[in-house]
Each structure stands twice: as C-alpha cells, then as structure tokens.
Amino acid sequence: MGDANLRELQSALTTASDLASALQCAPNRRDADQLVHVLRQALAAAGSLGAETGPTGCALHPHGAVDPLYGDPEDPLPPGYGKCLLCNDRRRRADAHPLHARPHARLPPRWRHRLNA
C-alpha cells in the first residue's frame, strides 16, 4: 500500500508542477481550482504515507487477513472490533470464555471451597 501512495504522491506533484508552469500571469478561476485540487490530492497522498500499517490497519498483524465480516451491514462486528481477523478471533474467544468463569477450574479441588466461604 505504501508504494501505491508514494506513486500517487509523485504523480500529483508532477501534475501540479506542470499546471503551475503552464499558468499565465493572471490565471482564471478554473485553472486555479484545478491546481488546488491536484495539490489537495498530493497532500492526501503525503498524509497517507506510513499512516496505514497494512490492509488490516493492525499494528500486530499489518499484513494479516481481513475479517470477512468487517463492513457487513447484515452481521456487523461488535464495537471495538477492527479489520484484523486474528485480533477479532482473539476477541471472539475471550468473549466466549470470560476470565472470571475459569479461575476455579485451575485451582486444586481442596482450595476451591475456600473461595466460596
């Protein structure tokens, strides 16, 4: 994704340079608007360089799989879920097995009765 953004930036800057070089001493409104539009494209492309970590947008799994339910209007993801399938899977597993439901199972049977006292 970074290479595409860099090419987009270079293209927009080249186009802006060409437009600026072709301007006469008193450009009309259309020419000025066209130059502003291209410069905004260049600014957006420059701002996106390095901003996105990959297709998932995840710092841990930047090039991981995108969750197929991301953006699905019929079956939306819960709040806080992102595009990363690996992180969403971890969240789903944590939601299925809350932390407070398991501590008793890890303790030896002779200690369990002390927690309920």
Side-chain angles (χ1 to χ4, degrees), residues 3 15 24 37 42 46 50 53 55-56 63 87 94 104-105 107 111 113 116:
D3 291 337
T15 303
Q24 303 299 323
H37 176 71
T53 58
T56 63
H63 299 289
C87 288
H104 298 299
L107 294 174
W111 292 94
H113 72 282
N116 296 327

Side-chain angles (χ1 to χ4, degrees), residues 25-38:
C25 56
N28 61 32
R29 187 79 224 147
R30 185 180 150 276
D31 291 338
D33 288 343
Q34 187 178 15
L35 180 60
V36 167
H37 176 71
V38 172

Side-chain angles (χ1 to χ4, degrees), residues 22-88:
L23 289 177
Q24 303 299 323
C25 56
N28 61 32
R29 187 79 224 147
R30 185 180 150 276
D31 291 338
D33 288 343
Q34 187 178 15
L35 180 60
V36 167
H37 176 71
V38 172
L39 288 172
R40 284 191 178 135
Q41 286 178 332
L43 184 60
S48 66
L49 290 175
E52 192 171 330
T53 58
T56 63
C58 174
L60 296 174
H61 315 103
H63 299 289
V66 174
D67 194 325
L69 294 179
Y70 182 79
D72 186 354
E74 294 178 16
D75 191 11
L77 292 171
Y81 280 49
K83 291 170 104 176
C84 180
L85 178 62
L86 298 171
C87 288
N88 288 350

